[in-house]
Every structure is written in C-alpha cells, then in structure tokens.
C-alpha cells in the first residue's frame, strides 16, 4: 500500500502539466439583506422544499413545540438532556399534561439503538445557524446533542434563532471561522428527506425524517 | 470494429424501446428546465462557472501536494487513508477492512467510484453481502443492472417496471404503482438493514485538504445513515476530488445541485472530519478514506485532457446531450455515460475498447455550455477522435492510434488531395453537376428517413463566374 | 454576437467563402449571400480556388489532412479584408478551430490573422453592413432553425432572428426544443446513422408541428438533414437558406 502512495504521487509530480495557475479574483456580488429579508427568503426557500417554519419568540417556543407535537399526535419526543434547549423544554412539559411524552437518553446511542429506530416518533434539536439564501439549517452536533437525533426519528423539530441567519454558505463559514477547526460532523439540512428516483416524482421521507419543522425564534 | 458493432447493438436496442425513450426524454426535459430556472441570472451563472473552473483547475495543479495535505489532516483527525493505484488494490483495501471486523455485510450510499471498482461484484465473490441504499441504486441492484445516469440511476425504469420488480423480489408487500408507497416500502426494508449494518460505505463529492474533511451531497438521508449508524465508515474517492480550502466549497455547492437537479441546495450536505470522538454518543468509531487512481494520473499528464478531471459529477452534460437523451446510459457500456463519460472512460479503459464513444456525438456543444466547471467537452471529444486514428502515437497507452484503418486514411487522403487541388476540385464538381441524374436516390441509411440531397445543375463556382464576380 | 467580439467598419470589398455544401447542393444560397452584400455597395470577391474549410477531417481526427486543406484556403484569401461565410459551422471552423488545428505549428500567427477576418454572413449583415431590410413579400410564417454553431460557437442566432424580424410580413413560429441539435453532425450522420435518424425525425416533426410555411436556417448541413426528412415524410415546410429567403423577399428586381 505504501508503494501505491509513492507511485501515485510520483506519477502526478512527474506528469504535472506545465500550466499557469488560473488567477484573477472573480467578483460575485454578495448579498446585503436586512434581517427581515433574510427571514423572508429563508422561509420561502424552506416552504419550497416542504419544510414547515413557525415564527416564535424566546418565551413561547417550548409551548409551540408542545402544541406541534400534540397536533401530530406524537406519542413521544426525544431531546438531548444536556443540550442547550433542555431546561426550557422540560419547563414547558412539566407545567402541563401533554399527550406527547418527553423522552431523553444520556447513554451512547448504541445502547438504545432499537428504541431510537423503532420507538421514537420525533426529536428536537438546536441549530447552530442558518443560511437565508438557500433555506438551510446548519447543525453542528456535539457530545450533548448527537447526530442521529436529526436523522432517525420521523419528525425533526429544529430550533433556530433568527439572528443566526447568515446570507450565504460562504458567509456562514467566514463569520463562524470554520477553518479554525471542524467538528466531527457538520450537517446542512434543507427540508425533509426526499427522493425523485422513481420517474422524477418527489416522495418525502425516504431514509431521514419525513417532516422537518423549524421553530424560528425572534 | 467489434466495439462499434457492440455499441450499435446497444444503441439499436435502446432506440427500439419506446418506453425507455420516453422515460429519458421526459426526465432530461425536466432536468434541463429545472437547471435553467435555478440560474435565473445568466451573467451570474457565467461568473460562477468561471469561479468553479478556477477552483477545480487550481486544485488539480497542486494535486500531489493537496493529496499529501489531505492525508496528513485526515490522519491527524483520526481518519485512516488508503492509497490504491488500481481498482484491484482499492477493492482489496475495502475487503481488508471488512475482514478486520469480521463483517459479512456492507451497506452502501451512492458512489460512482464503487461502480467503477465493480465493488459489489468483488465483495460478493468474497462472500460479503452488499446492499445499495440510495433508492435508485437499490432499484437497479434489485434488477441486476448498472445505473443508467450518475444522478438518477433508475431513470430508465417506469413506475410500473419498479412496481413489478418489487412484487417479484418482495412478494409480501402489496403491489402498488404509487411512488409514495413504493418509496415507503423501500424505507421500511432498508431501515432494518441500517439498523443491523456494521459497516457503511459512501462516495465523496469533495475532499477538503485544508481541514481533512469529506463532503457528501444527498437528498435521501441514506448517505447520512451509512456514514453515521454503522461502526465503520469507508469512503471511496478518485484522487481528483480534492479541493484546497474549505472556502472552495460554497461556490462549488452553488453550482453542483443547481446544475444536477435544479435544486438550490440538496436536502443534506454532510461534512465529515473525524470518527466519533471521546464522549460523543454516536457516529462511526472508524473512518477510512480510500484514494483511487485507476488511470487518473495518466489523464493528468496531458494539459488538455486533464481538464476532464475538473468534473464534479453533476450530470448536467448528459441531461443536455441530445444523444444521451435518445440512447440512455446503458448504451454507452461504461460506468459513466454521456459526454463526460465519453471523454473519461475511453482514456481509462482504452480507445481500442471504447474509442467509438467520442465519435457518438454531433459536437453540438450543449454539454460544454452546461458544464458548471467549464470542461470543454466538445474539444476533448474531438481530441480523442484524433488520438484514436493518429499514425504517430507518442506511446501506446490507452489505445492511441488503434482505430486507424487503411481504408479510412485513404479516403481522407483522397479528400485532402481533391480539396488542395482547386482545378481538380472544380472538375470533380463539374462532373457531379452534369451527371446529377445518375446520383443514386438511395444513399444507405441516410435515405432511410431522408430524401437524398439533390446536386445543383451548376456549382456556386460556375454561378459566380457567370455573374462576373471577381476571382481576386 | 459574442460579448468580446469587435466588428470593423464597412469595408470597400470582401471575400466570400461559399462552403462546399453550398457549392454543390445550395449554390443559390451562396449567390443570394453575395447579392445581399453587393446591394450594400460592397464589392464581393469569390476566389475560384476555394474548396472546403476542412471541418470534416478535423472532426474525424484526421488533423494532418485538415491542415493541408485549411492551408490551401489561406492561400486563396491573401488580402486583409473580411471573409464572409454563409454558414456558422464553417465560419466557426475557420475562426475558432483553425487556431486549435495549427496550435504549436509555425503557421499559427498567419492562421490567426486569417481567422480574425472570418465572419458569418448574418453577423456581417447586422453588425458590419448594418442592413435595413424592406419586406416585399406576402405575409408568411416561418420556423427558424439556428444550427448549434450558430447558437454556441459563433453566437449568431440573435442575428438570424434580427434579420427575419426586419421583414414586416414574416412571422417567426417557435418549435419545441428549439435549441436542440438536428442530428447532422457531419460524419456523425453516417457513422451513427441510427442515432442521427432518431434525432432528425424529432427535429423535423417539431418543425412541421409549428405549421410554418417555410423552414429557414443559416446552415446547409442542418437544412439538408431536416429538409431531407421533411421531404421523405411529405409533412412540413420546404427548407431554405436564410440568405436565399432574405434575398427573395427583399429583391425588387427579378434576377
């Protein structure tokens, strides 16, 4: 194997065509939207990919979450016990009875994979930031909030602060200084899982969530 | 000649299948319209294409250094890097990882490189069960066929074909031609497989040297499943997929999904930089990256042909190709069909085997116009036409000069002779015009669907003289 | 026109390159092209030693043969005046492909000097001669097929429409998949006849479906291909080169 490495690199070095590097910065106008425009574009884009967006406030989003879960008659809702949303979610649920049971697990997912795959109806996660131009959530999973929460359960509720809406993907990377250190996984999510592999007809909920519900906090 | 006969047989089969032709036609029409709508500002599109081409071209110029950097960063992040000069080495690398884990099954996300490797076939020969999880790939795997399009693998099949296939393979599931129901059935079948899988495999859309990050573009979530649920994730990629910096990704992502399917962005864009870290509650414990050469470093040596390595596999060239739209992907007989396939595959597999592909184009230019990284596809097709008939091949790699025939060379020598001797040319034309009544009305395949062209009674040369138009 | 294309002032005289297809099959189109230029007070020179631009060999991979033929053409057009070509395909060959064909050869700078003087007929009429056409014909409806070279390589499909739009009594009808190739592709039509046939059948049908009375194109390869099929099926309009069409509709004196 180590030979392969040397052989490939050697061939590339020997064969490298003598071409000048392409130069000349290509100027593509960046966007200058105010928050309102960013929110509007984000919502339009999200709607176009069949994601639901609800405008909520710092104070009322947990209640809204509970309502939305109840509307869907979810028997349970998964959240991360030590995640950034935990305290507020718990407070909304303890105050009132809800048909949706709040569940959480602290163990590694391997320990309760069966339950995650077959018994969890929905999950809620935080969102690091968003991209207005294309209508995208940026999730930056952590030890506290695992990757599978936004992937395996059929309904994914995502809580995004409107002030964290960037104009573009490039802005998000630049402002948040991604190159300083990437986490294990970053995932950009734009809508529920879908496929058009059969006759180019869109079908939702292929392998990931069937529904994506965004709570946009202002 | 054998390759031409075989190609023609596949073409004939495709052209005779009206259902197949309709499937491709309507899909390609749809994809072209969606792409066009996704780029409403044509001026911006041209700037983006320039930028995309520049990013990819510069990455290729630094390719060996970027590969070393990628390896170094990946290794530092805990991703194990394997180098493979050939398909055989790449397959062995995957097999070794499987064996190290005593794994007997593999679940796969969409990967054209794994198709190039014929990995499924290889692993099955070693007793390993392989399952495709992308819906389209799942369908073609059930049918025992290769994909017919790099983005929409099962597009040659109608929903009725798929309904019958599901009924045959899964008799317990009630028959349905409804797309939602078929999709739901596939979800249920594959969910169990994801749950059980111990090793997942994926392709790579971009590999970022700066941070050692593997990027994956997808809509279904099967790619995330394959790279998150199993304990081991193996990513396979061609060595050309590397880009220099993280900031190269957003411009390429602005181009890729829009060019491919007209989406502003795919449902998921998944960036993987390391295996599960201490304290993290999910994700694979091991991540492997297999870097495959398989002829790419030879393509790299030619300053013109290397432009084909800029490809980001969006499929826009095939979506816009009037030949592809009629014959579909299987007729090409290679892993990657369409214009980019006709450029890359004969270089990898040899012009002696696939030299016919570059000739199967009208050079209309629709592919080059659609390419998001401005690969000059018509120019490269023309170049490969030259390479296969040249009489002074600089080396005998990739079947250079192999399609040269005495008869064809003679025809072109005669043609050249007539066209470089004006008096002879005029005399020949004079004969043709005077004997126009004798020109046969049947000209082989041309007149099967066309009336033979009528030779004029007098040439333009004659008319110009008669009109007194000056000669110099 | 291409964004970076520069056009000269109206010259006193020009060369005309007739193309081999026009020479043998559509000579009236060549004649009409020359007449359209002459009417603007520009002298036309038709070098009798011209033959073919060399494109068939170039696109078949026979570069050496293509170069010999191209060099023979270079010798026919020595003066530093524009060379007008009534075909975007041949014009594209001479303007953009010749420099590729002669890349890394000692003739390159001479070739470039030649290539820069090559103009497609409709772009020359619009941008250099700035013609104003007066329609003398009866009302008619036409379908325009701009060749792939006209659309992409030469970018003169706008110029084709511009000229047709100057004719008050001519209505342009739009066919389905207007921009798609007709399937000619030179030797492609022979080498891959079955694919070519499938393509031309679709193209001809879409043109017939418009109900146009005439098919107009700036390239005789496409015309021969599409008209050949239209005549074969007996459906759809007669095909005509754009130069012939323009000349017939605007010429006051019967020639």
């Amino acid at each position: 194997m180590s030979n392969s490495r040397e052989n490939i690199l050697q061939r590339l070095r020997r064969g490298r065509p003598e071409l000048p590097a392409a130069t000349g910065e290509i100027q593509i106008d960046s966007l200058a939207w105010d928050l309102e425009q960013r929110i509007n574009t984000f919502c339009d884009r999200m709607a176009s990919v069949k994601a639901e967006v609800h405008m909520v406030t710092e104070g009322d989003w947990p209640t809204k979450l509970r309502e939305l879960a109840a509307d869907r008659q979810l028997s349970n809702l998964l959240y991360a016990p030590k995640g950034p949303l935990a305290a507020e979610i718990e407070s909304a649920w303890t105050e009132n009875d809800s048909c949706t049971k709040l569940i959480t697990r602290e163990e590694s997912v391997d320990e309760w994979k069966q339950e995650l795959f077959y018994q969890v109806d929905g999950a809620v996660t935080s969102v690091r930031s968003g991209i207005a131009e294309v209508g995208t959530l940026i999730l930056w999973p952590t030890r506290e909030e695992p990757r599978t929460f936004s992937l395996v359960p059929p309904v994914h509720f995502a809580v995004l602060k409107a002030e964290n809406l960037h104009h573009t993907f490039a802005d998000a990377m630049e402002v948040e200084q991604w190159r300083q250190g990437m986490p294990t996984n970053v995932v950009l999510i734009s809508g529920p899982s879908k496929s058009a592999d059969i006759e180019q007809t869109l079908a939702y909920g292929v392998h990931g969530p069937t529904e994506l519900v965004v709570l946009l906090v202002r | 000649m054998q390759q031409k006969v075989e190609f023609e047989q596949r073409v004939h089969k495709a052209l005779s299948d009206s259902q197949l032709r309709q499937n491709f036609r309507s899909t390609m029409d749809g994809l072209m319209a969606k792409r066009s709508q996704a780029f409403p500002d044509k001026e911006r599109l041209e700037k983006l294409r320039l930028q995309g081409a520049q990013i990819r071209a510069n990455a290729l110029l630094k390719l060996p250094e970027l590969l070393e950097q990628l390896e170094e960063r990946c290794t530092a992040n805990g991703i194990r890097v394997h180098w493979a000069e050939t398909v055989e080495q790449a397959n062995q690398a995957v097999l070794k990882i499987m064996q190290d884990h005593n794994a007997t099954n593999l679940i796969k996300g969409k990967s054209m490189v794994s198709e190039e490797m014929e990995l499924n076939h290889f692993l099955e020969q070693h007793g390993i069960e392989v399952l495709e999880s992308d819906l389209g790939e799942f369908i073609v795997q059930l049918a025992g066929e290769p994909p017919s399009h790099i983005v929409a693998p099962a597009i040659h099949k109608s929903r009725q074909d798929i309904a019958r296939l599901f009924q045959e393979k899964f008799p317990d599931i009630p028959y349905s031609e409804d797309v939602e129901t078929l999709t739901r059935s596939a979800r249920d079948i594959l969910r169990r497989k994801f749950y059980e899988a111990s090793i997942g495999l994926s392709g790579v859309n971009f590999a970022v040297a700066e941070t050692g990050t593997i990027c994956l573009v997808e809509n279904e979530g099967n790619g995330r499943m394959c790279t998150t649920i199993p304990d081991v994730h193996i990513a396979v990629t061609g060595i050309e997929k590397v880009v220099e910096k993280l900031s190269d990704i957003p411009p390429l992502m602005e181009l890729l999904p829009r060019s491919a399917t007209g989406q502003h962005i795919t449902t998921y864009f998944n960036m993987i930089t390391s295996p599960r870290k201490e304290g993290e509650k999910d994700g694979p414990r091991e991540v492997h990256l297999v870097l495959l050469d398989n002829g790419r470093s030879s393509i790299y040596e030619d300053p013109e042909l290397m432009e084909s390595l800029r490809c980001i596999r969006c499929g826009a060239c095939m979506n816009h190709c009037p030949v592809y739209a009629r014959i579909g992907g299987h007729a090409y007989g290679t892993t990657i069909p369409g214009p980019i396939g006709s450029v890359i595959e004969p270089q990898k597999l040899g012009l002696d085997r696939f030299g016919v592909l570059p000739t199967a184009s009208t050079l209309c230019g629709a592919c080059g116009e659609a390419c998001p990284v401005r690969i000059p596809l018509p120019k490269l097709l023309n170049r490969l036409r030259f390479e296969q008939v040249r009489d002074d091949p600089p080396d005998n790699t990739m079947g250079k000069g192999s399609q040269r025939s005495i008869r064809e060379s003679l025809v072109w020598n005669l043609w050249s002779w007539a066209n470089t001797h004006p008096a002879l040319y005029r005399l020949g034309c004079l004969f043709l015009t005077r004997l126009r009544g004798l020109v046969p009305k049947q000209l082989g395949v041309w007149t099967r669907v066309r009336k033979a062209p009528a030779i004029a009674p007098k040439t333009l040369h004659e008319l110009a003289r008669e009109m007194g138009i000056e000669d110099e | 026109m291409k964004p970076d294309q520069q056009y000269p002032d109206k010259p006193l005289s020009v060369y005309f390159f007739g193309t081999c297809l026009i020479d043998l099959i559509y000579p009236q189109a060549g004649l009409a092209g020359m007449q359209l230029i002459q009417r603007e007070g520009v002298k036309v020179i038709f070098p009798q030693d011209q033959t073919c631009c060399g494109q068939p060999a170039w696109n078949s991979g026979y570069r050496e043969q293509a170069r010999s033929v191209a060099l023979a053409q270079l010798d026919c057009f020595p003066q530093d005046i524009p060379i007008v070509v009534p075909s975007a395909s041949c014009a594209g060959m001479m303007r953009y492909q010749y420099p590729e064909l002669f890349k890394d050869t000692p003739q390159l700078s001479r070739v470039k000097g030649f290539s820069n003087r090559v103009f497609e007929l409709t772009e020359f009429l619009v941008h250099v001669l700035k013609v104003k056409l007066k329609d003398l014909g009866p009302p008619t409806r036409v379908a325009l097929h701009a060749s792939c070279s006209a659309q992409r390589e030469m970018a003169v499909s706008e110029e084709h429409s511009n000229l047709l739009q100057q004719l008050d009594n001519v209505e342009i009808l739009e066919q389905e998949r207007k921009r798609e190739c007709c399937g000619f592709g030179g030797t492609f039509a022979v080498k891959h006849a079955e694919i070519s046939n499938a393509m031309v059948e679709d193209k001809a049908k879409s043109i017939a479906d418009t109900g146009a009375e005439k098919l107009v194109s700036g390239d005789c390869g496409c015309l021969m291909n599409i008209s050949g099929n239209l005549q074969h099926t007996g459906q759809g309009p007669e095909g005509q080169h754009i130069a012939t069409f323009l000349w017939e509709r605007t010429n006051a004196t019967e020639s």
Side-chain angles (χ1 to χ4, degrees):
Chain A
M1 276 297 152
S2 62
N3 259 356
S4 306
R5 179 185 188 276
E6 295 319 313
N7 292 346
I8 292 170
L9 290 172
Q10 203 181 14
R11 265 204 305 278
L12 291 175
R13 287 215 165 83
R14 208 180 46 220
R16 175 167 17 214
E18 285 178 29
L19 291 170
T23 51
E25 199 68 10
I26 295 151
Q27 285 301 326
I28 296 184
D29 297 340
S30 59
L31 304 164
W33 290 334
D34 60 22
L35 181 62
E36 222 43 51
Q37 285 169 302
R38 296 207 297 278
I39 291 174
N40 290 340
T41 312
F42 175 82
C43 292
D44 288 349
R45 285 278 163 240
M46 274 288 171
S48 75
V49 293
K50 226 188 156 195
E52 221 175 276
V53 183
H54 296 274
M55 303 298 255
V56 289
T57 64
E58 282 289 356
D60 73 4
W61 73 260
T63 323
K64 186 72 184 172
L65 173 67
R66 206 190 58 223
E67 280 170 27
L68 291 168
D71 290 348
R72 284 172 171 73
Q73 299 185 318
L74 302 183
S75 65
N76 56 40
L77 181 71
L78 176 70
Y79 75 104
K82 294 198 173 127
L85 309 175
E88 283 153 296
I89 294 173
E90 283 162 4
S91 68
W93 254 262
T94 46
E95 282 169 23
N96 300 289
D97 281 329
S98 168
C99 62
T100 305
K101 196 174 144 223
L102 209 51
I103 54 170
T104 189
R105 295 286 176 273
E106 279 195 54
E107 310 86 351
S108 97
V109 168
D110 319 73
E111 318 279 321
W112 52 286
K113 196 163 145 192
Q114 158 85 32
E115 187 185 358
L116 176 67
F117 266 69
Y118 295 102
Q119 282 147 43
V120 176
D121 284 357
V124 53
T125 72
S126 67
V127 175
R128 178 186 174 95
S129 54
I131 304 170
E133 191 215 6
V134 286
T136 296
L137 307 173
I138 299 174
L139 271 71
W140 194 284
T142 56
R143 287 182 171 82
E144 290 70 38
E145 214 169 36
R147 291 151 80 163
T148 37
F149 281 33
S150 65
L151 175 62
V152 179
V155 185
H156 174 209
F157 296 93
V159 183
L160 168 66
K161 292 201 169 122
E163 70 210 44
N164 292 337
L165 270 179
H166 299 282
H167 286 95
T168 62
F169 190 8
D171 288 342
M173 263 185 191
E174 176 68 26
V175 173
E176 297 178 9
Q177 288 290 300
W178 288 17
R179 59 191 297 274
Q180 297 307 325
M182 291 288 281
T184 303
N185 178 242
V186 179
V187 62
L188 274 56
I189 301 180
S190 315
S193 146
K194 62 173 179 272
S195 175
D197 275 349
I198 303 177
E199 289 193 354
Q200 286 290 296
T201 307
L202 272 177
Y204 292 90
V206 192
H207 300 295
T210 309
E211 283 185 76
L212 173 66
V213 183
V214 181
L215 299 177
L216 191 61
V217 184
R218 302 205 54 178
Chain B
M1 275 292 93
Q2 187 57 28
Q3 52 160 314
K4 182 148 195 274
V5 172
E6 286 172 9
F7 176 69
E8 278 170 1
Q9 284 167 352
R10 294 193 298 267
V11 165
H12 181 75
K13 187 168 168 240
L15 289 175
S16 314
D17 184 340
S18 59
Q19 177 68 54
L20 184 89
R21 282 184 63 178
Q22 199 196 319
N23 293 350
F24 276 104
R25 182 80 257 186
S26 61
T27 305
M28 298 311 126
D29 282 349
L31 289 171
M32 281 191 282
K34 284 181 200 159
R35 172 189 176 270
S36 177
Q37 286 158 15
F39 292 114
D41 181 346
K42 301 301 163 200
E43 212 173 299
R44 184 180 164 88
L45 168 61
E46 290 316 308
K47 281 187 188 166
L48 274 169
R49 291 177 71 226
L50 274 171
Q51 196 178 26
Q54 189 171 319
I55 288 169
R56 292 293 300 130
N58 284 339
L60 290 174
L61 280 181
K62 297 180 191 165
L63 189 53
E65 291 75 27
L66 293 184
L67 285 169
E68 283 175 318
Q69 191 189 6
L70 177 72
E71 180 188 41
E72 185 230 319
R73 295 293 142 85
C74 282
T75 310
N77 298 340
I79 297 176
R80 298 184 212 174
V81 178
H82 310 258
W83 300 72
E85 288 179 81
T86 60
V87 159
E88 174 64 20
Q89 286 179 4
N91 281 328
Q92 289 293 347
V94 174
L95 180 65
K96 174 84 173 28
I97 300 166
M98 301 285 302
Q99 288 168 340
D100 286 350
H101 291 85
N102 296 316
T104 54
N105 61 68
L106 177 73
I107 192 146
K108 281 180 68 192
K110 195 163 165 24
S111 154
M112 288 312 293
V113 169
S114 74
E115 297 285 345
E116 173 183 346
M117 289 157 61
E118 297 183 42
L119 176 69
N120 296 11
H121 179 70
F122 173 85
L123 290 179
E124 278 156 11
Q125 281 183 325
H126 288 81
I128 289 168
E129 186 198 338
V130 183
L131 188 71
E132 295 285 352
S133 63
D134 170 87
L135 180 58
E137 293 282 352
F138 177 68
I139 292 166
V140 295
Q141 188 186 28
L142 284 180
E145 294 170 0
S148 61
H149 187 285
I150 63 171
V151 175
I155 206 58
H156 56 290
K157 292 206 171 303
S158 66
R159 70 180 76 193
Q160 289 79 15
D161 294 338
I162 296 163
R164 282 191 293 270
L165 186 65
F166 274 39
Q167 191 184 37
E168 180 197 335
K169 303 285 175 180
F170 311 106
D172 297 345
I173 302 174
Y175 181 86
S176 170
E177 292 179 3
D178 176 59
V179 173
E180 290 262 354
T181 312
L182 289 166
T183 305
R184 191 53 54 94
S185 301
R187 176 187 171 105
D188 294 342
I189 295 161
L190 287 162
R191 205 145 248 250
R192 167 64 46 189
K193 301 289 183 181
F194 282 123
Y195 176 72
E196 291 163 353
S198 55
I199 302 199
L201 183 132
S202 76
V204 173
N205 289 96
F206 310 108
V208 185
E210 179 180 46
T211 53
T213 300
I214 298 164
C215 303
L216 283 162
V217 174
E218 59 145 346
N219 285 311
E220 294 183 5
N222 68 307
R224 285 183 72 197
M225 285 282 196
C226 290
T227 59
T228 309
I229 306 295
D231 240 6
V232 180
H233 166 210
I234 306 169
V236 293
T237 183
I239 52 173
E240 82 281 19
K241 285 288 179 71
V242 65
V243 295
E244 186 177 3
K245 304 184 298 274
L246 213 48
S247 60
D248 291 336
I249 296 297
L252 294 175
M253 270 306 284
E254 189 163 348
L255 286 163
L256 174 58
R258 284 176 173 86
S259 300
T261 54
Q263 290 176 269
H264 286 80
I265 189 165
T266 48
T267 303
Y268 302 114
F269 185 63
N270 190 6
M271 305 175 83
I272 296 160
T273 308
S274 81
R276 183 192 301 202
K277 288 191 191 111
E278 181 67 36
E280 288 178 346
K281 297 189 173 61
D282 58 8
R285 288 183 170 84
E286 272 180 33
V287 178
H288 297 263
L289 176 63
V290 180
L291 299 170
L292 174 65
D293 181 347
N294 190 31
R296 288 165 176 81
S297 55
S298 310
I299 298 176
Y300 186 69
E301 288 174 19
D302 187 288
E304 190 172 79
L305 293 168
M306 82 175 288
E307 298 191 75
S308 59
L309 297 176
R310 295 210 293 257
C311 178
I312 56 172
R313 301 287 190 271
C314 69
C317 61
M318 53 201 80
N319 299 345
H320 288 73
C321 176
V323 172
Y324 177 90
R326 285 177 179 78
I327 65 174
H330 288 159
Y332 290 78
T334 50
T335 304
I336 298 177
I340 188 66
S342 298
V343 169
I344 292 177
E345 301 286 11
Q347 295 187 74
K348 283 191 194 157
L349 305 167
L351 288 158
D352 45 344
R353 289 177 59 208
F354 288 97
V356 68
L357 296 182
T359 71
S361 161
T362 62
L363 303 181
C364 75
C367 50
E369 187 179 55
C371 177
V373 290
R374 295 169 58 98
I375 300 171
L377 289 157
K379 179 171 137 183
L380 302 185
L381 290 167
N382 177 298
R383 170 70 190 280
L384 292 174
R385 292 179 183 189
F386 166 62
E387 290 298 339
Q388 61 186 303
V389 298
R390 66 190 296 176
D391 59 356
D392 59 337
D395 51 66
N396 22 3
T397 58
M398 76 182 214
K400 282 175 189 159
S402 64
Q403 302 307 298
R404 191 175 180 87
S405 75
I406 293 172
R407 196 179 66 94
E408 206 183 29
S409 314
L410 192 69
V411 168
W412 288 112
N413 285 336
L414 270 171
W415 171 89
S416 166
W417 185 56
N419 282 292
T420 46
H421 293 81
L424 189 79
Y425 169 89
R426 286 193 297 269
L427 188 68
C429 289
L430 190 72
F431 264 111
L432 279 169
T433 52
R434 296 311 179 264
L435 301 174
R436 55 200 284 263
L438 302 180
V439 173
K441 295 282 173 276
Q442 297 301 317
L443 299 172
V445 279
W446 175 270
T447 46
R448 201 180 292 161
V449 300
R450 300 174 194 84
K451 192 161 175 271
I455 289 173
K458 285 181 180 174
T459 64
L460 183 62
H461 280 75
E462 286 179 84
L463 294 177
R465 272 201 306 273
E466 288 177 11
M467 288 250 311
I469 290 176
E470 282 182 40
D471 172 31
E472 58 183 337
Chain C
M1 67 182 272
K2 297 220 166 178
D4 51 351
Q5 180 68 42
Q6 302 276 322
Y7 290 104
D9 293 335
K10 185 171 165 178
L12 292 172
S13 54
V14 299
Y15 283 124
F16 199 79
F17 181 83
T19 82
C20 55
L21 263 184
I22 283 189
D23 200 20
L24 264 177
I25 319 249
Y26 298 93
Q28 294 302 332
L31 211 53
M34 292 194 278
Q35 286 165 319
L36 285 165
I37 298 169
Q38 283 175 328
R39 190 168 63 189
E40 302 301 313
V42 175
K43 183 180 147 188
V44 176
I45 304 168
F46 183 91
Q48 284 285 326
D49 281 356
Q50 61 178 283
T51 57
C52 168
C53 65
Q55 183 172 203
W58 164 244
N59 280 346
S60 299
Y62 288 85
R63 296 190 170 183
E64 202 185 309
Q65 289 84 342
R67 267 194 289 270
S68 310
V69 172
L71 282 176
Q73 307 317 306
L74 254 62
D75 291 340
C76 300
F77 301 86
Q79 296 181 52
D80 187 16
I81 54 172
I83 303 154
V84 183
V85 186
S87 155
S89 175
C90 309
M93 174 70 192
M94 295 163 95
R95 192 196 283 173
Y96 296 112
Q97 303 302 314
Y98 274 15
E100 288 290 323
L101 179 58
F102 287 92
K103 198 171 59 185
D104 306 324
T105 70
Q107 294 100 332
L108 183 61
S109 72
R110 185 180 165 219
V111 166
K112 280 184 173 168
F114 173 92
S115 292
N116 288 336
R117 292 190 282 130
V118 173
F119 299 93
E120 187 272 341
L121 176 65
T122 64
E123 74 168 334
F124 194 75
L125 293 174
V126 171
H127 298 294
V128 182
L129 300 184
K130 302 189 168 63
V131 295
K132 295 283 171 277
L133 300 174
K134 190 170 181 321
D135 194 3
L136 304 174
T140 189
R141 305 194 304 168
V142 303
L144 170 66
H145 172 77
S147 69
C148 298
S149 309
Q151 292 179 58
R152 302 191 179 93
E153 185 169 39
M154 293 299 289
V156 295
S157 56
E158 290 291 317
E159 285 73 2
H160 287 14
S161 344
N162 172 319
L163 292 169
L164 293 180
Q165 280 157 1
Q166 288 190 32
L167 303 175
D168 292 338
N169 286 331
V170 174
E171 186 191 346
I172 308 176
L173 301 174
E174 193 150 305
Q175 63 273 30
E176 199 185 13
R177 299 190 190 99
K178 192 174 87 165
R179 299 195 73 218
E180 191 173 82
C181 176
C182 73
F184 178 58
T187 51
F188 170 85
V190 182
K191 278 190 177 161
H192 296 282
E194 201 174 349
I195 308 174
S196 175
N197 290 356
M199 289 170 73
V200 74
E201 284 177 324
D202 291 347
K203 178 56 73 182
K205 183 172 182 306
S206 71
I207 286 166
D209 285 348
T210 61
E213 292 163 46
K214 213 155 240 177
L215 160 67
V216 177
S217 179
D219 271 272
C220 288
C222 313
L223 215 48
M224 184 172 78
N225 186 38
I226 306 170
S227 285
N229 179 261
L230 289 168
Q231 287 166 3
H232 175 81
T233 58
Q235 312 275 315
E238 173 203 358
Q240 206 166 44
H241 189 277
I242 192 166
T244 319
F245 182 76
L246 294 175
W247 179 249
E248 284 184 359
R249 290 198 66 96
T250 58
N251 179 30
T253 57
E254 270 310 306
S255 57

